[in-house]
């Protein structure tokens, strides 16, 4: 009987804990990525296309911005995957961050780590999926300005005003 009371108490505490997180979660976007005739765009909850299907890649909206990408025809595929230039659009389809980055992280503390190819280094993969040793990293704000210029070998997300970077 005591064990059942302990289990019930644990379940109630877990439910309260999850409820607290659910209340803090950002509101869902009204737009969802849709695939139309070989391209990605965004439709509203009724299925009406709001942002023209024009992108080769599209990720969900987070806090009013979505990462979108276009295949970079100038660069060869790497391990049977195309090189994509990434940027951000807002919910009206306006480009907020130019589609020029090889890798983009999500925003943390209003900054996103962004990487471009380093033309001076040959293509090489590092340890772990998606780690490339020929990237230079910096940070952009939500308006696409490079707040910290691309200069690092690696860059992590900001937390409490700090981010881990690797200068080599």
């Amino acid at each position: 009987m005591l064990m059942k009371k302990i289990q019930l108490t644990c379940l109630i505490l877990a439910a309260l804990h999850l409820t607290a997180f659910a209340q803090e979660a950002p509101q869902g976007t009204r737009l969802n990525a849709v695939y139309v005739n070989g391209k990605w765009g965004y439709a509203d909850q009724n299925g009406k296309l709001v942002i023209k299907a024009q992108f080769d890649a599209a990720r969900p909206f987070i806090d009013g911005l979505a990462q979108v990408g276009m295949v970079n025809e100038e660069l060869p595929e790497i391990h049977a995957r195309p090189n994509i230039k990434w940027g951000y659009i807002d919910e009206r389809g306006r480009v907020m961050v130019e589609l020029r980055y090889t890798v983009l992280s999500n925003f943390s503390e209003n900054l996103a780590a962004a990487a471009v190819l380093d033309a001076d280094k040959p293509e090489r993969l590092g340890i772990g999926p998606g780690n490339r040793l020929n990237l230079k990293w910096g940070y952009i704000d939500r308006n696409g300005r490079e707040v910290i210029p691309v200069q690092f070998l690696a860059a992590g997300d900001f937390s409490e005003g700090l981010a881990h970077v690797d200068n080599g």
Side-chain angles (χ1 to χ4, degrees):
M1 184 68 146
L2 179 62
M3 189 61 148
K4 285 188 179 188
K5 285 183 181 180
I6 292 172
Q7 287 176 334
L8 182 59
T9 302
C10 288
L11 286 173
I12 290 171
L13 289 174
L16 289 173
H17 187 68
L18 291 174
T19 301
F21 278 114
Q23 292 172 347
E24 293 175 5
Q27 293 293 322
T29 181
R30 60 180 187 83
L31 299 178
N32 297 304
V34 293
Y35 194 67
V36 180
N37 296 326
K39 294 286 185 179
W40 287 94
Y42 292 87
D44 64 16
Q45 293 174 342
N46 297 322
K48 179 183 174 197
L49 197 62
V50 175
I51 298 173
K52 178 183 166 187
Q54 58 189 314
F55 304 105
D56 294 319
R59 294 184 174 146
F61 276 92
I62 299 174
D63 295 329
L65 296 176
Q67 284 186 29
V68 293
M70 298 294 290
V71 171
N72 185 348
E73 300 291 342
E74 297 170 8
L75 295 172
E77 291 184 353
I78 298 172
H79 299 288
R81 293 177 49 201
N83 276 296
I84 295 180
K85 293 180 183 179
W86 291 97
Y88 275 98
I89 61 169
D90 67 10
E91 290 184 338
R92 295 164 86 190
R94 295 181 301 186
V95 175
M96 302 304 290
V97 174
E98 181 185 349
L99 282 70
R100 70 178 211 89
Y101 295 98
T102 305
V103 182
L104 273 177
S105 69
N106 291 326
F107 285 93
S108 62
E109 297 188 9
N110 290 316
L111 294 175
V116 295
L117 288 174
D118 184 349
D120 296 332
K121 291 186 177 179
E123 173 61 36
R124 293 186 342 204
L125 295 181
I127 298 171
N131 291 333
R132 294 166 65 168
L133 301 176
N134 65 333
L135 297 177
K136 285 187 181 178
W137 291 83
Y139 292 90
I140 58 170
D141 67 13
R142 295 175 65 84
N143 294 313
R145 290 183 307 219
E146 283 188 5
V147 177
I148 301 172
V150 293
Q151 59 188 307
F152 306 110
L153 297 176
D157 290 340
F158 270 86
S159 176
E160 298 181 18
L162 301 172
H164 173 79
V165 295
D166 184 355
N167 278 333

